[in-house]
Amino acid sequence: MTGRRISRANAALDERLGSQKFLKKALDHIFPDNWSFMLGEIAAYCFLILVITGVWLAFFFDPSDSMVVYHGPYAPLHEQTMNLAYQSTVNLSLEVRAGLLIRQIHHWTADLFVTAIVCHLARIFFTGAFRKPRELNWVVGVTLLLLAIFNGFTGYSLPGDLMSGLGLRIAYSIALSIPWAGNWLAYLFFGGQFPSSELTHRIFILHVFVAPLLIFGLLGIHLALIWRQKHTQFPGEGRSERKLVGSHLYPTYAFRSIALLLIVAGVVSLLGGLVQINPIWEYGPYHPYLASSFAQPDWYTGWLEGSLRLMPPWRLHLFGWTVSEVFWPAVVLPLGTFLLLWIYPFVERWWTGDHLYHNLLDRPRDRPGRTALGVAGLTFYFVLTVAGAQDVLGFYLDIQQPPVTFALRGLLIGLPLLAGAVTWKICRDLAGTPGVKVSPPVESADKVMPPPTRYLPDRVAWQDPETGIPAAGSSAWARKAATVGTAVTLGALAASWARRGRRAG
Amino acid sequence: MGRVEGVALKRLALVWLPLIVAASMGGMLISPSGRADLAATRSGPSGAVLYQEDCAACHGADGRGTSRGPSLAGVGEAAVDFELTTGRMPKRDVATKQPPYGGILSAAEIAALDRYVTAMVAYGGPAIPTVDPSAGDLSKGAELFDEYCAACHGWGGGGGILYDRAVPKVTEATPTQVAEAMQVGPAQMPVFSPQVFSPSEVDAIAAYIRSVQHPVDRGGDPISHLGPVAEGAVVWLIGMVLLLFAIRWIGERG
Amino acid sequence: MKRTAIFLCFAGSAVVGSGLAVTYWVNGDTAIEGACLGASLLLAAVGLVLWSHHLLPNGPYSEEYPDFRSTPVQEAELLATVDRGELGRRRLLLVSLGAVGLSVGAGALSTLRSLGPPPRTLASTVWKYKLPLVDSDGRPIKVGDLPVGAVASVFPPGHLEDPSVPAVLIRLPPGTNHPLPGRETWAPNDLICYSKVCSHAGCPVNLYDHQTLALQCPCHQSTFAATDGAKPIFGPAAGSLAQLPLSIDLDGTLRSAGDFSQPPGPVFWHYDSHNA
């Protein structure tokens, strides 16, 4: 029995807002229980932690490019010239109590934020949760990924240390390389020729105001869509395209969700206290004439770093105009990536001819084509990310740079093909295991719309209605991909070994 | 494709292919090392005897070089001392790995060889410099290191990469070795001449290098000072893995 | 039994959590603060999960997925509502309103130009005839300062923080330089000077290998041959580094003999017109 206080509070609220019905419906809302459905929540809670720690940090950080002389306690920086942004960050890290803890929690959470989004995106992709009616939510989600990466980049570029300054210089060159409007766009975003006196302030506004506002708004839309359309679920006992099975929002799901928030906060607190991240006082302040070896960006921009390193030096001269060699790996590749991600649900819908509603998820093995494509894509970006650390790789493996670069270029083309083909084959082999029998998806139930003439599009690998075993698909593409992939991968590795040469003594 | 064929292909993909890939990568790593234990061949700190035993075979009996080793004429006592105290010399094999920063010969043997080689052929080059890191301005050293050294040796002296070789760490170098290296320009390292770098600036750089042996890692475990590469690995392999275990546990039914 | 376990989790979490406040007030040790905070949160989370698994109703509960397609009657009602505005008949008015949007929008967008200075030429730098080459402390470099294989990082006086001017001065071994046509006098006494700004993405090219006589950029490993006009020999860079012509004073001071051979650093759309 609920206590008198709760009844009285409920009555007070209901008299003013008429909230009784809404609250009942809300607290009864069903959420399905699979563990993989919580990946997105991890990301959302990371955002919450970022906002809280970020506000705290913003009280100490001075986003100014004005130069000052350091007079703090850290001896190697004594009397060095640096900008106020760097000085305030060093001060926050080394002199403000709990400053370093909060700063490190903030940075670890930022890395984890993008990690969780990528895992969540992979889950959505491989289970086909982006299909009708959830295509819009996919588009919103991909935009959130872009904003998260962008905000991470602006965030770690704020302190004005040696590493992040190099990253900004490269970003400026990338902006310059855009045809026709490049140098104007670069001046616009950077506030003048690099490094302008406006730069840190501008990045600060983007990082603290513009991007978080957009993320917050889009996250709201993202959650509202899930609320309205209800969460997808895996096929199983008692479940169907019409019936969602799970636990109520209150009390079960709420407790678990809060527990997840505490776990995420706990993990990043442990990391923030025990594992050092971005020790900017050791890097030193940025000056335009300084550089360092092993200068990598945070992991989620590593794929761009890798593409810049692996791209051959192809510069175009067209009728007196120049297209820089950084344009293709650093502008075309990321734009193309996000464009392909955005349109994917619509491309798959066109390719499979499947315009039906789907509230039930696929097992990845039941969609070998999509799963293979996804694994190939992930492998491609994984190789690019590894290539971003090609100098670290060469150092620790004791291999010269030219063979490492050559091998990675080959792996970039060959490994995704190989991985995709292998994945396809594994899915087909596992397809022998019968799934839970699923009734065909419905266009819309018992409404006045005329039923479609055929339920099952031809190109969809659907289940046999009797056994639940997915239908077979063609293996020709997989074979071609396997052959090309193996040949290119092994060929590149062999050629790199042949060219590795002997090191100078 | 039948099931048997399919299983064979899966085994090929999941077992043999990774093994082949791993083996070829491993093959690239093999570089024969073979620094024989030269201590067993020494016979007391006589410079001439040490030279004949450990150096003459490659550098020539008169120190003016052979096809296997360069001439030592005019390189200076600093160069001889640097190569010996860091353990780069004497060596038996052309393709040896990054030096261990400890001399192979004893200090007395090195001193004897220094004198002998300098007197014989190496005179005219830089003498062993005197360095006093305690007198060096630490922050000036940090600035100079970042400007001149960090691109090759890393912001924390942890090493770097050149087109065709790794650049060694400097965290284990003694102040004398630092100053010698700057003057001599060993292997691919350029010369940082005393006319451009005054003795106080050399002291400063040596002071900074000494300080990075005990970096201020206030934030916790420094994960090899590798920067975002190591941080990314921690986020995925520790952070995300922990969270995956957590959500698998939460997702169970009671 | 379960309740005891959950209670112990929360109690433990409270105790460990107090360690955060205590450490903060005592000495602010980052590691202990983080460990206390993290452990406390994790213990509380464990308690909550145990609570949800064992003390709360787990279902299974079910509800229906919503149907989204409305009936043709409902659809017709909405379309009739939208049609009340009769906008389909007002084409001329809508077009003229669109013109307002375009013109005001163009004006509003133009104000973005104020966010940045007008694009000035990227072609020239501060380097010009007869500026002495100085190091980062402002000390002029003299011809005798660099033995064979030595390098120095040079700037024009008073422009240390200007990103387009840093240059690297190298003493090449005699006879190794192959000057490009027209640059035969640019490297007196085997002293040669190149822009440090990488032609790929602008990082400083601070590595020099004096055995292979190559300059290398640490960002993406572009490598340039210092003996051949700093042309790229490996890596993603497609263009040479800009070269600075040198002259030597009577007293041995090194001076520039003009601006760089081409705009230093990475290229852009209008690069060729700046590089005439």
Side-chain angles (χ1 to χ4, degrees), chain C residues 7-255:
Chain C
F7 170 76
L8 284 174
C9 284
F10 290 152
S13 165
V15 166
V16 174
S18 65
L20 171 64
V22 167
T23 318
Y24 180 89
W25 288 108
V26 168
N27 69 351
D29 184 288
T30 307
I32 301 181
E33 284 172 350
C36 286
L37 177 61
S40 162
L41 291 168
L42 289 173
L43 272 174
V46 168
L48 281 175
V49 174
L50 289 174
W51 190 339
S52 95
H53 277 167
H54 301 287
L55 298 182
L56 294 178
N58 271 293
Y61 301 104
S62 67
E63 63 184 13
E64 295 244 314
Y65 278 104
D67 273 318
F68 286 122
R69 196 74 178 90
S70 312
T71 65
V73 172
Q74 289 166 322
E75 200 180 323
E77 277 175 12
L78 178 64
L79 290 174
T81 308
V82 170
D83 246 350
R84 268 194 291 226
E86 292 189 334
L87 287 181
R89 289 174 44 194
R90 308 286 178 216
R91 186 136 337 131
L92 177 62
L93 298 179
L94 284 176
V95 166
S96 50
L97 196 58
V100 170
L102 275 174
S103 76
V104 173
L109 278 176
S110 307
T111 63
L112 284 178
R113 188 179 171 278
S114 307
L115 280 173
R120 54 170 233 264
T121 176
L122 291 162
S124 63
T125 72
V126 175
W127 283 110
K128 57 186 193 335
Y129 191 59
K130 285 297 186 197
L131 281 180
L133 275 63
V134 301
D135 67 6
S136 52
D137 288 320
R139 216 172 40 213
I141 310 281
K142 290 188 183 294
V143 66
D145 285 347
L146 272 68
V148 171
V151 296
S153 174
V154 294
F155 309 84
H159 286 91
L160 187 63
E161 301 288 338
D162 184 337
S164 58
V165 301
V168 57
L169 181 66
I170 306 169
R171 181 80 182 274
L172 291 171
T176 51
N177 189 24
H178 308 122
L180 294 179
R183 300 193 195 173
E184 291 82 359
T185 56
W186 285 30
N189 287 49
D190 302 306
L191 285 162
I192 198 160
C193 188
Y194 292 107
S195 166
K196 263 207 206 183
V197 187
C198 185
S199 60
H200 179 238
C203 290
V205 180
N206 277 3
L207 287 96
Y208 177 64
D209 177 339
H210 86 122
Q211 279 189 351
T212 56
L213 305 175
L215 285 159
Q216 187 174 320
C217 180
C219 282
H220 309 111
Q221 274 70 53
S222 298
T223 312
F224 307 89
T227 50
D228 289 87
K231 71 166 199 263
I233 55 177
F234 169 71
S240 314
L241 299 175
Q243 187 174 351
L244 190 72
L246 296 176
S247 66
I248 307 180
D249 266 2
L250 288 170
D251 67 349
T253 310
L254 286 166
R255 289 181 185 272

Side-chain angles (χ1 to χ4, degrees), chain B residues 147 163 188 191 193 196 253, chain C residues 58 136 139 145 149 209 216:
Chain B
E147 187 179 351
Y163 162 72
Q188 280 127 310
V191 173
S193 62
V196 180
R253 306 195 135 261
Chain C
N58 271 293
S136 52
R139 216 172 40 213
D145 285 347
D209 177 339
Q216 187 174 320

Side-chain angles (χ1 to χ4, degrees), chain A residues 294 391-399, chain B residues 29 158 161 166 169 224 226:
Chain A
F294 300 160
D391 47 356
V392 178
L393 210 60
F395 181 81
Y396 281 102
L397 295 179
D398 201 20
I399 308 174
Chain B
L29 305 183
I161 203 87
K169 303 191 290 199
S224 310
L226 256 186

